[in-house]
Amino acid sequence: MELNTTLLRERFVIRDMDSDGGGSPESLVAMSNRLVVPLLDSRNKVIETFVVRSRIMHSAIRMAAQIIQSYVRLGPLMARSVPFDFVGAWELVRSAHDTKYCEDPWVCVYHNAKPIFLSGHYHPFLDVIEKCDVKNPGNYDSAVAIAEDTFKKMGRHISISHNSNIGMVAHVKDEVGRCGMILRNPHKSTTFNFVAERRDAEFSVSPTQCLNACAAFLEGIQLSVRLGMNNEKIHQRLANSVNSSEALENISALARMGQLTLELDGFNSVLDVHYRPERPNFSAIAKEAEAFQRQLICSERQ
């Protein structure tokens, strides 16, 4: 199956311009990672489209991979006599580390702008945006203007600002998968890419493989940054090296990073994968995070 999709990291600020607080308008903030999952047949016709939103980038990507994998094996999800097990898919997606150390790792899956599965607590404004997007499909940027106009017709003067950046892009065909991701460390944000090609006839390139690899990289980068910052706190004796929350979190993070490294090594073993500029080095990222945390501590002490 062919896949072309983009993960957006979004932040909406919703201001009530009619509030009478006497100062700045009251505002609410809704944040999310959003990934559109178009499911195509052999003629590249869209059969079903899902939207996955999640607090965490890698969770959204892995949930999309679960949906695609089921579609490839069993066909369209929504017309089945036995419904797709979203609960089971989410349990597979969530790691023990995320469950323990990420506050409310929520997810919501939409079909035709309706939430068909959700876990955790997310901002209900995201439902409004999905409904507005359906009114003008193919032009997601117009959803904010449609939402403002909808509130206006209800007699409410609402201003909505929308900031977004790309967390991942994926273009996958049977012969080759091309993916690009954001690499965020405390010093700066850069990007890296990989091209995965089939090595022989036995192993073709699949969207599920590529998405899961992207998720593993993004999760590993996130864990590396957290690991490095915690290490420096322990080194500076701001946290106990044995039983502090930072030390216990790092034990869990290292175990999870080991799992991710094995997953990525397996991805590289079955496909011919080329990285540009190079494959992210989790240990090097952790060292950079340690240096950043050291600078923060020194600045605070001064």
Side-chain angles (χ1 to χ4, degrees):
M1 190 192 91
E2 185 173 339
L3 175 70
N4 291 292
T5 191
T6 300
L7 177 81
L8 289 181
R9 305 175 65 247
E10 296 187 304
R11 183 176 188 269
F12 296 92
V13 180
I14 308 101
R15 296 181 177 87
D16 186 353
M17 308 306 289
D18 294 329
S19 63
D20 54 359
S24 301
E26 295 183 4
S27 62
L28 297 171
V29 177
M31 300 177 67
S32 166
N33 296 288
R34 182 180 191 263
L35 184 63
V36 179
V37 189
L39 303 179
L40 310 181
D41 64 12
S42 58
R43 295 172 293 178
N44 286 336
K45 177 183 177 182
V46 177
I47 302 301
E48 291 178 321
T49 300
F50 297 89
V51 174
V52 181
R53 286 188 180 272
S54 180
R55 175 171 182 162
I56 312 171
M57 285 192 290
H58 57 259
S59 294
I61 296 170
R62 284 201 181 92
M63 195 67 176
Q66 288 287 319
I67 291 171
I68 292 171
Q69 184 179 54
S70 181
Y71 171 74
V72 170
R73 289 178 176 177
L74 301 173
L77 278 67
M78 299 305 291
R80 296 179 186 176
S81 57
V82 179
F84 175 68
D85 184 9
F86 283 103
V87 175
W90 179 234
E91 288 299 319
L92 288 173
V93 163
R94 283 195 307 171
S95 69
H97 183 86
D98 277 351
T99 301
K100 186 170 184 178
Y101 292 103
C102 177
E103 182 182 352
D104 193 17
W106 62 266
V107 69
C108 184
V109 180
Y110 297 85
H111 180 256
N112 292 335
K114 296 180 181 179
I116 57 173
F117 171 74
L118 62 91
S119 177
H121 306 282
Y122 68 101
H123 201 293
F125 176 76
L126 300 174
D127 292 348
V128 176
I129 287 294
E130 292 303 327
K131 290 177 182 177
C132 293
D133 180 50
V134 165
K135 294 180 181 179
N136 191 14
N139 187 12
Y140 180 65
D141 290 337
S142 68
V144 169
I146 295 173
E148 288 181 337
D149 187 59
T150 300
F151 282 114
K152 184 177 180 180
K153 291 177 180 177
M154 297 167 57
R156 298 183 63 186
H157 185 191
I158 301 295
S159 172
I160 304 168
S161 63
H162 175 220
N163 294 312
S164 68
N165 56 68
I166 294 174
M168 180 211 70
V169 293
H171 305 289
V172 185
K173 297 182 179 181
D174 287 342
E175 300 293 330
V176 61
R178 303 178 188 276
C179 300
M181 284 148 282
I182 187 171
L183 197 165
R184 298 171 65 239
N185 64 34
H187 289 287
K188 60 182 178 179
S189 292
T190 59
T191 59
F192 71 98
N193 307 274
F194 69 73
V195 177
E197 299 176 292
R198 64 192 307 172
R199 187 170 291 165
D200 51 50
E202 184 178 357
F203 296 106
S204 62
V205 182
S206 76
T208 299
Q209 284 176 307
C210 291
L211 289 181
N212 282 329
C214 289
F217 276 121
L218 291 173
E219 184 180 0
I221 292 166
Q222 176 184 307
L223 289 173
S224 299
V225 171
R226 184 72 176 174
L227 179 73
M229 298 181 79
N230 281 345
N231 278 340
E232 188 59 29
K233 288 181 181 179
I234 294 170
H235 178 73
Q236 297 280 349
R237 297 185 178 179
L238 298 178
N240 187 286
S241 61
V242 178
N243 57 6
S244 66
S245 60
E246 289 85 355
L248 295 175
E249 181 181 351
N250 277 8
I251 293 172
S252 176
L254 284 169
R256 179 59 181 162
M257 289 169 66
Q259 295 170 349
L260 296 173
T261 299
L262 287 175
E263 181 181 349
L264 290 168
D265 288 345
F267 177 70
N268 282 271
S269 69
V270 298
L271 298 173
D272 192 8
V273 187
H274 303 278
Y275 295 92
R276 184 177 179 181
E278 65 268 327
R279 175 174 168 172
N281 185 315
F282 295 154
S283 296
I285 294 169
K287 289 293 183 183
E288 291 177 0
E290 287 180 16
F292 179 79
Q293 183 67 43
R294 192 177 308 123
Q295 293 175 357
L296 284 181
I297 295 171
C298 290
S299 298
E300 291 173 357
R301 286 173 174 171
Q302 291 174 357

